[in-house]
Amino acid sequence: MADTVSWPRVACAALLVAAVTAACETKAQFAPSLPPAAGFRVDDGVLKLWTGTPCDGVTGLRLIFDSGTRESTEQVWTAPRPGVLVERMDLLRTTGGSPDTGGPLQVQKPLPTDYDWTKADSISFSVDGPKAHGARVDVAQVLRESAQHPPGSYLFGQRGWMDAADVQRENQKSFLTVCTPDPK
C-alpha cells in the first residue's frame, strides 16, 4: 500500500518541478529571437543615435534613464502622423538641453532642468510608430569610449562598437537593429 500512495506524490512533485521550471523561463514570450540594439556615441558634447537601419513612420522616441530605479526619468520626442524617417539623430548635449533637430520630430517631454543624464547608469531606448524593438546602452561606456572610436562607429549595447559594414554584416545574424523585423 505504501507503494501506491507514493506514486501520486511523485507524480505531483514532478508536475510541480516542471511547472516551476517553465515559470522560470528567462526569455519573454514575445522577445525577439536575437538581441536588439541601437547605436549611441558622444561627439563634441552631443549624444548621437544611430538606429542601424532606417525606421520609417516614427511618431515617437523615448529615452528612459536609469529605468526601474528611483532616479528614473525620461525624455520623449514626437512627430505628427504619418511619422518620419529616423536613422541618425542628435539627442542631448552633455551640457544640458536637446539640440534643435529643425524637423518634425520635437521634444514633447524634456528631461528635468536639474537632471544630468551623464550621471545615469543606462539609457533604454524605444520607438513608437513602426514595429520596433527596444534597446539599452551603458551611459558611462558611451561617454568613456566614444573618443576612442572613429566617428562612423557607434556603441550597439552588448554587441560593442560597430560601423556601417559591421551592422550590415551582423544584423539578423547576431543581433537586430531596433527596426529590423525578427527573422524567426
Side-chain angles (χ1 to χ4, degrees), residues 46-47 77 89-93 96-102 106-107:
V46 177
L47 177 65
W77 300 72
M89 185 174 163
D90 292 350
L91 297 171
L92 294 165
R93 297 184 191 286
S98 301
D100 180 17
T101 62
Q106 296 294 317
V107 174

Side-chain angles (χ1 to χ4, degrees), residues 28-104:
Q29 181 179 1
F30 299 107
S33 61
L34 295 168
F40 293 89
R41 71 174 293 116
V42 174
D43 283 330
D44 299 323
V46 177
L47 177 65
K48 296 176 174 281
L49 163 73
W50 177 29
T51 59
T53 56
C55 294
D56 197 16
V58 173
T59 57
L61 298 176
R62 183 176 310 269
L63 301 173
I64 303 174
F65 297 84
D66 290 329
S67 179
T69 70
R70 207 175 53 187
E71 293 80 30
S72 182
T73 191
E74 68 181 3
Q75 180 167 18
V76 178
W77 300 72
T78 60
R81 293 198 182 280
V84 296
L85 181 73
V86 174
E87 187 172 8
R88 295 180 190 264
M89 185 174 163
D90 292 350
L91 297 171
L92 294 165
R93 297 184 191 286
T94 54
T95 56
S98 301
D100 180 17
T101 62

Side-chain angles (χ1 to χ4, degrees), residues 1-182:
M1 182 154 167
D3 288 335
T4 59
V5 173
S6 66
W7 280 110
R9 286 184 181 158
V10 170
C12 284
L15 284 172
L16 180 62
V17 168
V20 168
T21 303
C24 293
E25 176 84 24
T26 57
K27 188 172 179 180
Q29 181 179 1
F30 299 107
S33 61
L34 295 168
F40 293 89
R41 71 174 293 116
V42 174
D43 283 330
D44 299 323
V46 177
L47 177 65
K48 296 176 174 281
L49 163 73
W50 177 29
T51 59
T53 56
C55 294
D56 197 16
V58 173
T59 57
L61 298 176
R62 183 176 310 269
L63 301 173
I64 303 174
F65 297 84
D66 290 329
S67 179
T69 70
R70 207 175 53 187
E71 293 80 30
S72 182
T73 191
E74 68 181 3
Q75 180 167 18
V76 178
W77 300 72
T78 60
R81 293 198 182 280
V84 296
L85 181 73
V86 174
E87 187 172 8
R88 295 180 190 264
M89 185 174 163
D90 292 350
L91 297 171
L92 294 165
R93 297 184 191 286
T94 54
T95 56
S98 301
D100 180 17
T101 62
L105 197 59
Q106 296 294 317
V107 174
Q108 177 70 32
K109 180 181 178 188
L111 291 174
T113 54
D114 62 341
Y115 184 76
D116 183 356
W117 70 267
T118 65
K119 304 289 188 233
D121 287 333
S122 64
I123 300 172
S124 295
F125 170 73
S126 63
V127 176
D128 295 330
K131 184 171 172 72
H133 312 285
R136 186 177 176 107
V137 72
D138 180 90
V139 172
Q141 185 178 4
V142 170
L143 291 167
R144 182 180 61 248
E145 295 178 8
S146 288
Q148 301 167 16
H149 295 274
S153 293
Y154 285 68
L155 179 60
F156 279 82
Q158 297 298 317
R159 299 297 319 144
W161 289 87
M162 302 178 88
D163 62 18
D166 298 328
V167 170
Q168 185 176 7
R169 181 181 61 252
E170 294 300 319
N171 188 27
Q172 296 186 322
K173 291 183 181 84
S174 64
F175 82 105
L176 298 173
T177 65
V178 291
C179 289
T180 297
D182 193 342

